[in-house]
Amino acid sequence: MRFFISIIILLSLSNFLEAQRLTETNYDTTRMKANLEFLASDFMQGRESCTEYENIAAEFIASEMKKSDLGTFKENGDYFQKIPVIAKKVQPESSIIALNENGEITELKMGSDWIVQPNSFKKMDINEPLQVVFCGYGITAEEYGYDDYKDVNVEGKIVLALWGEPGNDDPEYFEGPKPTKYYGPSFKTGLARLKGAVAMLFIPDALLDQYWKYMPRMVMINSVQLADEPEDTTVNLPGAMLSTEAVKGLLANEEFEYTGLMEMISDTSFEPFMLTKKVVIDINVKRWEDEIENVIGVIEGSDPELKDEIITIGAHYDHDGTWDGVVYNGADDNASGTVAVLEVMRRLRSTSPRRTIVGILFAGEEKGLLGSKYFVKTYPEKDNIIANINIDMCGRENVDSLTSKASEETCAELYKLVQEVDDEMENMGFYYEPGVNSSQGTSDHASFAKEGIPAVYFGDKMKDDLHLPSDDANKINYDKIGRTTIVIEELIRKIDRLDNKLTIN
Ligand SMILES: [Zn+2]
């Protein structure tokens, strides 16, 4: 009996010492800094999916896992999970040219003057100058007595139309401020095709105009999708979005110039009109089959009863590549989470967790959570995963701040453990945001939550440089990443101390 009591005392003492140890700075800042500076260096060209730089990043991560003596994903000693994808990219020689009546040419610059979504079409080479007709919003909606195509023939022409739809506060008219099916490009391009048009040019609304600086990067870089998912066929006809500046240039000296057009919009009384300028569109999209790769390291559980239960900890390592010769380094997003996961796995390796811990550095998050979607879809032991912990950005803002999101509705037990970590880590100013449905998140934890796996997300709230080339390593606070690793490690230990499986609500 005494023996058991001593064991219990020893165990509680070791728990106590562990808790003490965790509040100290026992993380390896030097290693994390060196790793992050490499991943977020200009050499790595923004680690974009379907570029060799994403492969180099994956090799680098695997070599770090090997140094930490992590187990491999497969029995053949491989840390990689290969993911077949289809990639598309607008070719740089693509062009849109406007010609006025005197034959003078204005070339609109790809990226700054116009953008397209490469997954919306394969080819758009209309090598002859075509007439352009302004057709309001490009909508026909009988139920609202609305028709932008009344008395106009757009056969063989390019339709110039406003993004969005007519609307006001009247819920009976285009459902008021709520977007209807008429809002986006799918309906409009489909209708324009039926009317015989060959292409569409869109005029951005105020919101798109406000975010224009983000648009070229978001839509002109590689578009990537999982190979086993159907390709987007919702867009019926090629469409490009012009910048407000480009629209102003196109409408200069026309029947209505840009300002006149905006006045018409406020009246919602459009008259279609033909521009005197013609437009030549020559856009080519390259499509190819490729592979991206998740990098996965494993610590096998030490308890024969519990080792089948799996705790996953993940972060995406890909980012946005380059645009116009500028590198989007993605230091905080998400080289910070990548080095944090590697550090947590390195430290856990020297302990003996009872359950199996799987560390996953995801590919293709910036392309639509591709790596995590593929992982949950194909992982043979998916049903044994009891939790996913996701880190997406943890190296910016105040060193003491960290936000977590989990859903009490999905897993009250995980929610409680996160709150406990919050209480214990109070000196780190760890903020908990309750009531967020993780499956609606915009990072990799959402892929797990959608499958009913309890998921929690950790991140900072860096806004200044988000998805901009200025998200650089020299702005990173390594102590913050270190503290994050302590919080994550403590949460993993808490889950691992449970004698029961996490209960899903
Ligand atoms: Zn991210």
Side-chain angles (χ1 to χ4, degrees), residues 316 318-319 332-335 365-366 390-393 442-444 457 466-467:
H316 73 87
D318 68 308
H319 194 54
D332 197 34
D333 188 10
N334 185 27
E365 191 267 1
E366 304 288 11
N390 179 38
I391 315 171
D392 196 351
M393 308 203 295
T442 53
S443 184
D444 291 310
Y457 152 83
L466 187 63
H467 291 293

Side-chain angles (χ1 to χ4, degrees), residues 453-489:
I453 299 165
V456 54
Y457 152 83
F458 289 88
D460 59 37
K461 286 189 166 174
M462 188 271 285
K463 286 203 184 77
D464 297 348
D465 302 310
L466 187 63
H467 291 293
L468 291 175
S470 47
D471 178 6
D472 280 329
N474 61 6
K475 295 177 182 163
I476 293 293
N477 186 329
Y478 294 95
D479 268 334
K480 175 153 186 173
I481 304 179
R483 284 161 186 252
T484 303
T485 63
I486 288 176
V487 169
I488 305 287
E489 193 179 341

